[in-house]
Amino acid sequence: MTQTLDWQPDSELPGYFSRVFELGTDPDGETPIAATLVRAPKRPRAAKGAVLYVHGFTDYFFHEPLADFFVAQGYHFYAIDLRKCGRSRRDGQTAHYVSDLSHYDVELGLAVDVIAEEVGIGGGEDDPKIIVGAHSTGGLIVPLWVDRLRRLDPTRHSLIGGLILNSPWLDLQGRAALRTPAVTALIRGVGITRGLTVLPQDLSPAYGDSIHESRHGEWKYNLDFKPLGGFPVTFGWIRAIRNGHALLQTGLDVAVPSLVLRSDKSYFAKQYSSKTDRADAVLDVSHMAKWAGCLGGRLTSVPVPGARHDVFLSLPAVREQAYAEVEAWLTSGLRAPTAKAAAKKAAAATPPKKTVAPS
C-alpha cells in the first residue's frame, strides 16, 4: 500500500487537491485498487477540527458548497472517493463493488491518518477532532467502521469527534417481502457464488433527473461518475449491504455524538415529477427513523421538511434549513458533555472530604 507523496491538482474540481492511496491487491479480484482523498482549497481562519465526507452509491465528491459551509464553520474539509468509485475507479472495475463493507476500513483509516497529521488532530479529550460526514450508503459504511474502531483500534477512534449522517441507508427499501429471511437468504446465496451477477431491476432515473443541470436540477457533476439512472446493482454488493444492515440493527456503539438528517417523507416514482423535488426519491425515511437509535452514542435525529435524498442538494430554502441544523448541532449538540464527561467534571469540582483526626 502506497500513497502519492504530494497533493496534486484535482481532476474534477478547479482549485481542489487530491492524493491517491494505492491499495494494492483487491480482495474481490479487480486489482489494482486505489482510493482518492480530496482536499478543499479554502482553509478556516481558526480551525476547530476537520471534516471527512464519505459519498454514497452511484456517487463521488463534487459538492463544493458543502465544503465551503464547513470551512465557514471553522473546519478543514476533506472528502474521499472510495475504491472503484468516482476518481478512484480504474478501467475494467465494477463500479462501487465490494463483497464486504469492512474492506473500506483501509482507505478510511489512511484518510484519518493523513488528516490528523495535516490538521493537528489529537486523541486527547480537549484536542480538535475529525467529524465524519456520510451520505446514503456512506451513512451505513461509516457507523459500522467507527464501531469497529472503538473495539479494535481505539487510537484512531480517539480522533473521531462525531458523525453527520445525511439520509443514511439503514434498511432495504421497497416491499416488506424484500426484507424477509427467505429473500435475504437468496441474496446471500447468490452473492457468495455469483457476486457480480446484476439484479434484474433497473434503478429509477427520477432522482438523478431532479438534481442534474441537464434535466430538472441545478447541479453540475460528472455523469460518468454519477449516471442519472445509477450503476447496476450486483448480488455480491447487495449481500454486503444486507450484512451491514443486520449488524447495525443488532445495535452499535459509535461512542460519539451523531446527527442524522433526512427528509420528512419518501416518494418513489419511475419518472421525475415536481414531487420528486421535495421528498427522498431513493430510500425509505421511515427506516432511518426506526433504526437511527441503533447507532449508539448521543443521537440527534432531524427530519427536514421537503428535503431530497441528499439533503444538501435540496431546493435552496430547504438546504439552507439543513445547513442551519448542522450549524446548531456543531454549536450545541456536538459540544454538549456526555454523561461520563459530566460525571468526571462534577467529581473534579467536588472538594475532598476533610478527615477529622481522632481526639
Side-chain angles (χ1 to χ4, degrees), residues 12 20 23 35 65 85 96 98 120 158-159 178 213 218 233 236 277 296 324:
E12 296 297 312
V20 176
L23 305 178
C85 306
H96 293 256
V98 289
S158 69
L159 305 176
L178 298 175
E213 64 174 5
E218 61 182 289
V233 175
D277 289 325

Side-chain angles (χ1 to χ4, degrees), residues 173 262-269 275-276 278-288 307 309:
Q173 67 276 25
R262 59 176 175 84
S263 183
D264 61 329
K265 58 186 172 294
S266 294
Y267 176 75
F268 302 120
K275 292 182 179 180
T276 312
R278 296 186 174 276
D280 192 319
V282 178
L283 297 181
D284 189 331
V285 298
S286 71
H287 294 163
M288 302 173 203
H309 176 52

